[in-house]
């Protein structure tokens, strides 16, 4: 109860543009925010951008959060939407890149960028067991899993945010977990 | 075992294994250590937020609000019931044509005896209903579609959220206060005693007025318009409101004798007090949101105003309680009348239960009585789902003088010595604010006048009535420039604009404003603090006299004797990172050439109540006293372990030495930021003694000397 009371008061202070109070709220969730962004996007630069963008938006927009106790859900919703947008951007970029591929100059730049990105992704995701296993998931699956695990949403809330049918979300989530599990077992075998 | 049953068992086992597996993966995901980049560490983020320029803040805020994420989540959270309400409502949610039908049927059931012709103008209930309905269509109706899509199991979501966060009850937040064993009642014995005491009291109050006692006054926006405070003195006693215990304590203030004399237990009202109370001529008045009826009518907030006779402080007597719908906002006291503002939001989730022919479903009440049609006003073109309720009460006689209600008026408020201004965002025009002005005198509230202005106010110091003119400094978005700018506007008695200066300090935000006679001083801020001086003596042609640019900003300005202006705020570096609290003294003898003649940066503090609430400042240029509480953090060992501390500080100012500290009294020390912020302290003086009141803890007494204050007790 004491903890809840603190959150309420901190939100009230944050609404008065108290950066310190907001940073204390942020402290309660930032590790999960970052993990969610990292595992979903698979890119530490983008994860950092998305989280900091989320934080700045949340700070400016906290006046509209009416139930102070819902801070966690609220900020994760902002992050979820930003991750979703970023994933769409990736898809869009890939199509764009394909179109550019015939252009000679663009090709060189593009190859450099791509290899940098891949390095980065590999580095980040290879670092830990979860990250390695996450590579087998589709973009959408990653988002769904992180929303459940880090944001604490249930399938209905996820479906609401992603504008997807709830049953679809549920089965995608189950399949993603199965894939994860299998991949983790495979990785273990390799290590052993 | 039959085959069927066996299959069942197997699938159940599988289910169990699956969920175990799920738990295991979830657990390992949560435990996975992931190094977070430095730029995302809370300390870095805090600096980034503190340095966030207003332009960015506002544009993010606008973008954010436009996306209506906030509103959606307000639905899922504040009104958890909202979705449920709509779901149950389902197809019964009002449609445009239904509204028309009901509108027609209403004219048939309108009370007879009312003049049909003026009905449209005077039937404020009908207008209120129409406005609410329109609001509903605009902001809630799209939930209907959403709900249809999510009809399956949506109730579980709501329950899930409710389970997670718990339904909000005041009792959860009332800090360990137990129910009172007694409620003070005004019985016959009490009445008798009160009479005796008032005779006694009268003589005492005679003393107060004698020249021998002089004591500090509450720092208020407008002289003569009293505001609440959590600690007060009448020159004889010190009164404090202790929010943790929900008690008012009354202490002696005779030299070093600060013993407890009496107390008032407010626990039975479960009062949520925001800003304190009043004491005037032996009458104590306190208002707050109350949840005492919450068990009967859930989600319904009341504002209670309680009046006590404290002429004999050893035995305070409850005189009368008043109630009005809505949560308490603020109050003012002028000439023995208290004006109480509350804010009542219509529960839109119950729109299906809101029927035009049943005004009790959408019209709020004072006590148990609906606001009358004559006392109800509807603001136009604003976000209308909330009423502002104003009651005026003669506290000595414990009677209502007036009751007014406005659908709208939920923005900022300003109470001058003769008018009440209520502001609202206008959604039909970009960046405009509508305001209603009421005249008040001896409790009577009348003469509604409409006005419009550009932009928003920082606080009620940004708007000022002076010799029949209304002047204000606002912050607004300039489309042509694509940025926020500031402006100064002057209006005549009829709220017609007479003159203005637009486009001041592009991209900067107003931090503080002070009107001193014919000159307006205001501070805008980006990373530096330009202090502007504007000559407003000619209402048609205000003109900028000069400005001064210095780092940091002043959040509060106060005239300090002749030709000096005191500023209280924060010092920042060029990136906007807060370096500490700042006291400034400006020489304004020549407004076209303002000088910062002294500055003191207190790097060990980063926060003070004064930044948000001018009532927390004790300022007395005649006695040369500037007193305030401050909080900060300090490192107590080499390995970056830190703790927070709170102090009460008193400074004096002289031109030779600048700001000189007269006392520093520790009021709090803790590892938690909130715990330190929670500790409220106020300073006050009576004759030669200075008292530092740390609410709920103690009172420290200092003997005021010429150069320093000596701890006496």
């Amino acid at each position: 109860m004491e903890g809840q009371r603190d959150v309420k008061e901190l939100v009230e202070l944050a609404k008065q543009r108290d950066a310190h109070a907001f940073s204390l709220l942020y402290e309660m969730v930032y590790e999960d925010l970052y993990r969610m962004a990292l595992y979903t996007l698979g890119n530490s630069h983008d994860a950092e951008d998305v989280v900091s963008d989320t934080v700045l938006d949340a700070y400016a927009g906290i006046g509209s959060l009416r139930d102070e106790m819902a801070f966690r859900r609220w900020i994760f919703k902002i992050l979820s939407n930003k991750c979703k947008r970023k994933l769409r951007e990736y898809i869009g970029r890939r199509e764009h890149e394909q179109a550019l591929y015939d252009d000679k100059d663009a090709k060189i730049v593009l190859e450099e960028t791509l290899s940098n990105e891949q390095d980065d992704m590999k580095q980040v995701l290879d670092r830990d067991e979860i990250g390695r296993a996450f590579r087998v998931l589709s973009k959408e699956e990653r988002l769904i899993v992180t929303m459940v695990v880090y944001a604490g949403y249930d399938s209905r809330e996820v479906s609401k945010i992603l504008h997807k049918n709830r049953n679809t979300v549920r089965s995608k989530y189950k399949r993603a977990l199965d894939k994860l599990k299998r991949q983790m077992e495979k990785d273990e075998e390799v290590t052993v | 075992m039959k085959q069927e049953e066996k299959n069942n068992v197997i699938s159940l086992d599988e289910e169990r294994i699956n969920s175990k597996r799920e738990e295991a993966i979830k657990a390992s995901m949560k435990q996975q250590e992931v190094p977070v980049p430095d730029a995302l560490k809370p300390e870095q983020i805090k600096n980034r937020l503190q340095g966030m320029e207003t332009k960015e803040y506002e544009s993010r805020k606008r973008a954010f609000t436009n996306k209506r994420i906030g509103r959606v989540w307000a639905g899922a959270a504040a009104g958890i019931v909202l979705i449920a309400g709509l779901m149950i409502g389902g197809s019964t949610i009002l449609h445009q044509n239904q509204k028309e039908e009901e509108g027609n049927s209403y004219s048939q059931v309108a009370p007879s005896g009312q003049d049909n012709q003026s009905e449209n103008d005077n039937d404020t209930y009908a207008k209120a209903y129409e406005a609410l309905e329109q609001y509903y269509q605009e902001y809630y109706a799209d939930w209907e579609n959403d709900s249809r899509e999510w009809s399956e199991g949506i109730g579980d979501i709501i329950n899930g959220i409710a389970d997670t966060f718990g339904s909000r009850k005041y009792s959860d937040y009332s800090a360990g206060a137990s129910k009172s064993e007694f409620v003070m009642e005004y019985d016959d014995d009490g009445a008798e005693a009160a009479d005796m005491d008032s005779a006694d009291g009268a003589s005492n109050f005679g003393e107060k007025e004698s020249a021998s006692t002089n004591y500090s006054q509450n720092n208020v926006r407008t002289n003569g318009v009293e505001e609440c405070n959590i600690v007060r003195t009448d020159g004889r006693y010190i009164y404090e409101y202790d929010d943790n215990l929900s008690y008012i304590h009354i202490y002696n203030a005779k030299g070093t004798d600060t013993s407890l004399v009496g107390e008032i237990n407010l626990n039975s009202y479960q009062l949520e007090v925001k800003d304190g109370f009043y004491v005037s001529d032996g009458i104590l008045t306190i208002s707050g949101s109350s949840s005492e009826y919450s068990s009967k009518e859930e989600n319904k907030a009341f504002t209670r105003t309680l009046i006590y006779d404290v002429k004999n402080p050893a035995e305070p007597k409850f005189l009368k309680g008043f109630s009005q719908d809505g949560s308490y906002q603020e109050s003012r006291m002028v000439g023995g009348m208290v004006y109480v503002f509350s804010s009542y939001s219509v529960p839109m989730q119950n729109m299906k239960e809101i029927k035009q022919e049943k005004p009790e479903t959408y019209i709020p009440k004072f006590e148990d009585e609906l606001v009358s049609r004559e006392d109800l006003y509807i603001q136009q073109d604003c976000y209308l789902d909330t009423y502002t309720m104003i009651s005026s009460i003669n506290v000595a006689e414990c009677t209502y003088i007036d009751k007014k209600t406005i659908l709208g008026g939920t923005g900022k408020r300003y109470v001058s010595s003769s008018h009440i201004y209520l502001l609202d965002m206008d959604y039909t025009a970009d960046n405009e604010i509508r305001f209603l002005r009421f005249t008040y005198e001896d409790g009577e509230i009348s003469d509604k006048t409409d006005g419009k202005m550009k932009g928003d106010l920082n606080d009620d110091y940004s708007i000022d009535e002076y010799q029949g003119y209304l002047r204000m400094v606002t912050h607004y978005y300039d489309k042509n420039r694509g940025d926020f700018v500031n402006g100064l506007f002057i209006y005549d008695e009829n709220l017609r604009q007479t003159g203005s200066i637009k486009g001041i300090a592009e991209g900067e935000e107003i931090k503080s404003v002070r009107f001193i006679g014919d000159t307006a001083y205001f501070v805008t801020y980006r990373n530096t603090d330009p202090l502007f001086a504007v000559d407003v003596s000619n209402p048609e042609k205000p003109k900028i006299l000069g400005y001064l640019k210095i780092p940091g900003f002043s959040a509060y300005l106060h005239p300090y004797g002749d030709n000096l202006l005191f500023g209280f705020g924060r010092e920042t570096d060029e990136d906007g990172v807060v370096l500490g609290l700042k006291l400034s003294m400006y020489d304004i003898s020549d407004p076209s050439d303002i000088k910062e003649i002294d500055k003191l940066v207190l790097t060990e503090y980063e926060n003070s109540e004064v930044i948000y609430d001018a009532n927390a400042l004790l300022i007395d240029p005649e006695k040369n006293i500037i007193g305030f509480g401050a909080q900060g953090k300090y490192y107590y060992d080499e390995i970056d372990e830190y703790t927070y501390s709170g102090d009460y500080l008193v400074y004096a100012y002289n031109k030779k030495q600048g700001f000189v500290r007269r006392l520093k009294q520790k009021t709090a020390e803790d590892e938690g930021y909130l715990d330190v912020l929670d500790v409220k302290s106020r300073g006050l003086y009576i004759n030669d003694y200075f008292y530092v009141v740390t609410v709920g803890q103690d009172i420290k007494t200092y003997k005021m000397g010429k150069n320093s204050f000596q701890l006496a007790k």
Side-chain angles (χ1 to χ4, degrees):
Chain A
M1 200 46 64
E2 204 44 42
Q4 288 192 4
R5 197 177 157 222
D6 284 357
V7 171
K8 182 174 184 269
E9 288 174 19
L10 286 171
V11 171
E12 277 165 7
L13 284 167
K15 285 182 181 179
Q16 298 167 359
R17 238 183 129 166
D18 182 330
H20 191 155
F22 190 91
S23 72
L24 291 177
L25 284 167
Y26 171 71
E27 201 168 347
M28 300 174 190
V29 294
Y30 81 102
E31 285 167 316
D32 279 345
L33 287 175
Y34 183 67
R35 278 191 281 220
M36 169 162 174
L38 180 68
Y39 288 134
T40 305
L41 304 177
N43 176 319
S44 61
H45 293 302
D46 285 349
E48 187 178 324
D49 285 353
V50 163
V51 171
S52 77
D53 199 32
T54 298
V55 175
L56 300 176
D57 267 8
Y59 180 60
I62 196 162
S64 56
L65 173 63
R66 292 226 190 137
D67 183 350
E68 291 82 359
M69 303 315 299
F71 176 77
R72 191 185 167 89
R73 264 153 210 274
W74 176 77
I75 196 168
F76 270 100
K77 173 160 179 169
I78 302 170
L79 179 67
S80 303
N81 280 318
K82 288 197 189 296
C83 285
K84 195 167 77 178
R85 207 169 310 140
K86 203 77 194 172
L87 291 176
R88 266 199 215 122
E89 218 176 87
Y90 289 168
I91 294 163
R93 192 162 58 197
R94 198 180 302 145
E95 283 163 3
H96 180 63
E97 280 157 3
Q98 280 300 332
L100 273 180
Y101 216 72
D102 299 330
D103 185 324
K104 212 176 154 193
D105 292 339
K107 194 177 164 184
I108 298 163
V109 178
L110 189 68
E111 276 173 349
E112 275 174 13
T113 327
L114 278 179
S115 75
N116 284 345
E117 267 177 26
Q118 276 160 0
D119 281 355
D120 178 69
M121 187 156 169
K122 206 165 175 297
Q123 190 197 342
V124 170
L125 293 184
D126 276 353
R127 200 162 42 207
D128 61 62
E129 186 195 22
I130 298 291
R132 282 193 302 270
F134 252 69
R135 278 180 304 184
V136 302
L137 300 185
S138 75
K139 289 184 171 63
E140 190 180 40
E141 284 168 344
R142 281 190 238 155
L143 184 57
I144 292 172
V145 172
T146 55
M147 282 173 82
V148 172
V149 176
Y150 296 121
Y153 293 126
D154 63 22
S155 57
R156 301 173 198 89
E157 289 167 291
V158 172
S159 59
K160 181 97 183 108
I161 293 168
L162 297 183
H163 302 291
K164 290 238 179 304
N165 182 290
R166 181 189 152 205
N167 287 328
T168 314
V169 166
R170 203 154 41 184
S171 60
K172 282 191 173 175
Y173 172 68
K174 274 206 184 316
R175 203 173 58 216
L177 276 191
D178 276 349
K179 274 164 110 177
L180 270 182
K181 180 74 184 164
R182 271 201 303 274
Q183 186 60 34
M184 282 161 83
E185 282 164 359
K186 224 190 267 174
D187 285 350
E188 245 166 68
E189 279 164 25
V190 173
T191 329
V192 174
Chain B
M1 195 183 274
K2 282 182 201 163
Q3 192 58 35
E4 214 177 307
E5 281 175 8
K6 211 174 170 186
N7 284 344
N8 256 341
V9 170
I10 289 165
S11 70
L12 275 177
D13 276 351
E14 267 176 2
E15 190 79 9
R16 224 170 277 144
I17 289 162
N18 278 338
S19 82
K20 256 192 196 163
R21 175 187 297 175
E22 186 184 323
E23 286 312 312
I25 295 175
K26 278 169 88 171
S28 58
M29 279 178 73
K30 278 186 183 163
Q31 283 155 14
Q32 186 68 51
E33 291 267 340
V34 172
V36 179
D38 280 348
L40 292 179
K41 295 272 164 63
E43 196 63 23
Q44 294 284 331
I45 288 288
K46 185 180 123 188
N47 287 338
R48 173 77 176 79
L49 297 180
Q50 277 172 343
M52 192 196 273
E53 286 180 7
T54 297
K55 187 179 166 187
E56 182 184 355
Y57 184 84
E58 294 291 344
S59 79
R60 280 186 185 271
K61 195 171 169 178
R62 283 165 74 88
F64 192 84
T65 322
N66 288 345
K67 276 182 241 142
R68 296 202 2 218
I69 291 175
R71 201 161 274 286
V72 169
W73 281 83
I80 285 159
V81 224
L82 175 133
I83 317 171
L86 289 177
M87 275 317 301
I88 301 159
S91 57
T92 65
I93 285 167
L94 288 164
H95 295 282
Q96 200 61 37
N97 51 358
Q98 268 180 311
K99 168 193 150 194
E100 279 162 23
E101 273 168 33
E102 287 186 40
N104 290 338
S105 70
Y106 182 64
S107 51
Q108 288 157 19
V109 298
S112 59
Q114 206 173 355
D115 185 349
N116 256 352
Q117 218 166 5
S118 63
E119 190 198 325
N120 283 343
D121 291 337
N122 292 341
D123 192 350
T124 52
Y125 284 9
K127 282 187 193 164
Y129 180 82
E130 205 178 298
L132 290 169
E133 217 273 333
Q134 194 186 335
Y135 181 89
Y136 173 81
Q137 289 296 342
E138 252 170 76
Y139 294 101
Y140 286 86
D142 53 345
W143 274 91
E144 192 191 356
N145 299 328
D146 284 358
S147 344
R148 209 178 287 133
E149 210 177 293
W150 296 103
S151 58
E152 184 200 343
I154 195 93
D156 295 344
I157 272 202
I158 294 144
N159 292 338
I161 297 174
D163 286 348
T164 313
F165 298 108
S167 58
R168 293 212 297 156
K169 284 185 185 131
Y170 284 98
S171 54
D172 293 346
Y173 303 119
S174 66
S178 59
K179 277 259 176 195
S180 73
E181 291 118 325
F182 61 101
V183 182
M184 282 169 230
E185 296 274 329
Y186 186 53
D187 56 21
D188 289 344
D189 290 352
E192 206 178 310
D195 287 343
M196 278 164 55
D197 293 334
S198 58
D200 185 32
S203 64
N204 288 338
F205 283 98
E207 262 175 46
K208 177 197 93 178
E209 279 152 27
S210 70
S212 64
T213 309
N214 82 48
Y215 57 90
S216 47
Q217 300 292 327
N218 193 15
N219 182 31
V220 294
R221 165 67 186 86
T222 304
N223 279 338
V225 180
E226 193 51 55
E227 297 166 22
C228 277
N229 210 332
I230 52 170
V231 173
R232 312 190 76 98
T233 182
D234 55 10
R236 300 180 69 230
Y237 301 99
I238 294 168
Y239 305 80
E240 77 167 17
Y241 169 70
D242 182 342
D243 192 44
N244 283 328
L245 300 177
S246 196
Y247 260 76
I248 285 171
H249 297 130
I250 308 174
Y251 300 95
N252 269 316
K254 293 178 193 143
T256 57
D257 175 12
T258 52
S259 52
L260 182 70
V261 186
E263 56 191 23
I264 299 171
N265 180 350
L266 298 166
N267 278 291
S268 60
Y269 299 106
Q270 296 190 18
L271 215 58
E272 198 178 21
V273 176
K274 270 169 74 170
D275 51 7
F277 58 94
Y278 302 95
V279 178
S280 120
D281 295 332
I283 303 290
L284 186 149
T285 309
I286 185 163
S287 301
S289 301
S290 174
S291 56
E292 60 190 293
Y293 299 132
S294 61
S295 54
K296 282 185 214 160
E297 285 185 74
E298 250 181 84
N299 296 325
K300 188 147 190 183
F302 287 81
T303 290
R304 284 235 150 228
T305 299
L306 306 170
I307 300 178
Y308 291 88
D309 181 336
V310 291
K311 291 189 188 84
N312 176 8
E315 284 179 38
K317 283 173 202 69
F318 175 68
L319 295 179
K320 199 167 176 181
F322 295 86
S323 82
Q324 62 196 64
D325 280 359
S327 56
Y328 172 73
Q329 298 300 306
E330 60 183 312
S331 63
R332 295 288 188 280
M333 187 175 265
V334 186
M337 306 290 164
V338 67
Y339 298 82
V340 179
F341 297 78
S342 68
S343 174
Y344 175 73
S345 293
V346 178
M348 285 297 181
Q349 67 273 19
N350 295 336
M351 197 65 199
K352 71 182 178 82
E353 283 160 28
I354 294 176
K355 298 259 187 316
Q356 188 168 10
E357 64 276 16
K358 285 188 192 161
E360 66 275 15
T361 59
Y362 60 95
I363 300 290
K365 298 186 282 253
F366 288 95
E367 308 300 329
D368 289 326
E369 224 173 273
L370 294 182
V371 172
S372 73
R373 282 182 168 80
E374 301 77 62
D375 288 333
L376 178 63
Y377 302 87
I378 320 290
Q379 179 59 284
Q380 302 301 312
D381 301 330
C382 295
Y383 301 101
L384 301 177
D385 66 337
T386 301
Y387 292 95
T388 298
M389 307 184 67
I390 316 170
S391 62
S392 57
I393 298 164
N394 179 328
V395 296
E397 290 172 12
C398 290
T399 50
Y400 273 117
I401 304 297
D402 213 337
K403 301 170 207 165
K404 291 278 186 273
T405 296
I406 299 93
L407 181 55
T410 50
K412 297 199 172 75
R413 278 170 289 262
Y414 165 55
V415 181
S416 73
S417 47
S418 53
H419 293 114
I420 293 168
Y421 292 84
L422 302 174
L423 278 59
D424 270 299
M425 280 294 279
D426 180 345
Y427 64 72
T428 61
D430 210 20
N431 263 294
E432 282 197 340
I433 284 206
R434 281 177 171 266
F435 56 98
L436 291 178
R437 181 186 70 187
F438 292 89
T439 305
Y440 75 92
E441 194 174 11
D442 296 331
E444 304 283 351
I445 305 166
S446 57
D447 274 352
K448 188 203 78 162
T449 316
D450 287 277
K452 251 186 180 234
M453 64 183 214
K454 212 163 184 52
D456 198 5
L457 301 174
N458 177 41
D459 57 19
D460 65 349
Y461 284 88
S462 306
I463 172 170
D464 186 67
E465 241 178 34
Y466 183 70
Q467 295 181 346
Y469 287 94
L470 183 70
R471 303 94 58 98
M472 53 179 99
V473 177
T474 71
H475 183 61
Y476 63 92
Y477 190 76
D478 185 332
K479 262 191 201 153
N480 297 331
R481 300 190 197 206
D483 202 350
F484 281 85
V485 293
N486 304 288
L488 185 143
F489 301 89
I490 305 177
Y491 300 82
D492 66 11
E493 276 176 341
N494 302 315
L495 300 179
R496 276 192 297 262
Q497 192 176 311
T498 58
S500 67
I501 306 178
K502 289 180 195 162
I504 309 170
E506 179 173 334
E508 306 204 353
E509 147 188 38
I510 295 167
K511 279 291 181 180
S512 51
V513 184
R514 194 84 198 205
F515 287 88
I516 304 173
D518 279 331
T519 313
Y521 296 93
F522 58 92
V523 166
T524 65
Y525 172 77
R526 192 172 243 168
N527 290 327
T528 55
D529 161 0
L531 170 64
F532 287 87
V534 179
D535 178 357
V536 287
S537 57
N538 179 351
E540 272 141 44
K541 280 189 187 141
K543 64 171 192 282
I544 296 179
L545 295 172
Y547 71 92
L548 171 73
K549 252 185 185 345
I550 38 180
F553 61 86
S554 294
Y556 179 73
L557 296 170
H558 196 102
Y560 206 75
D562 293 337
N563 300 326
L564 291 179
L565 182 66
F566 168 72
F568 187 96
R570 285 183 173 137
E571 178 80 343
T572 60
D573 67 12
E574 62 274 13
D575 297 325
V577 174
V578 175
L579 303 174
L581 292 177
K582 181 175 82 160
L583 312 183
S584 300
M585 196 60 83
Y586 306 100
D587 182 341
I588 52 169
S589 52
D590 177 4
S592 61
D593 183 22
I594 310 167
K595 296 186 199 78
E596 185 179 45
I597 49 174
D598 262 297
K599 172 171 98 169
L600 178 67
V601 178
L602 305 168
T603 51
E604 62 270 47
Y605 305 106
E606 56 184 80
N607 198 44
S608 169
E609 265 188 273
V610 176
I611 303 266
Y612 314 108
D613 179 7
N615 298 137
L617 179 72
L618 171 67
I619 185 157
D620 192 325
E622 239 168 78
K623 290 245 168 194
N624 202 359
I625 290 175
I626 301 164
F628 55 92
Q631 296 91 24
K633 125 178 128 170
Y634 65 87
Y635 293 88
Y636 64 85
D637 65 24
E638 310 82 48
I639 52 161
D640 278 10
E641 288 290 326
Y642 57 79
T643 189
Y644 295 93
S645 88
D647 290 303
Y648 194 85
L649 304 163
V650 176
Y651 283 86
Y653 174 79
N654 68 63
K655 281 193 175 160
K656 246 192 204 160
Q657 297 156 288
F659 292 99
V660 181
R661 194 172 77 200
R662 285 185 163 179
L663 80 79
K664 174 180 172 176
Q665 172 64 52
K666 188 162 280 299
T667 55
E669 188 167 45
D670 203 287
E671 281 159 37
Y673 180 56
L674 266 183
D675 293 311
V676 169
L677 286 187
D678 256 357
V679 177
K680 307 277 186 213
S681 57
R682 293 285 188 276
L684 55 95
Y685 67 80
I686 301 171
N687 295 328
D688 296 331
Y689 288 93
F690 192 91
Y691 301 90
V692 177
V693 182
T694 306
V695 175
Q697 282 182 23
D698 58 13
I699 300 176
K700 293 276 192 253
T701 311
Y702 287 79
K703 183 97 172 115
M704 296 199 290
K706 213 180 162 204
N707 296 316
S708 69
F709 292 6
Q710 294 302 318
L711 186 64
K713 196 196 144 213

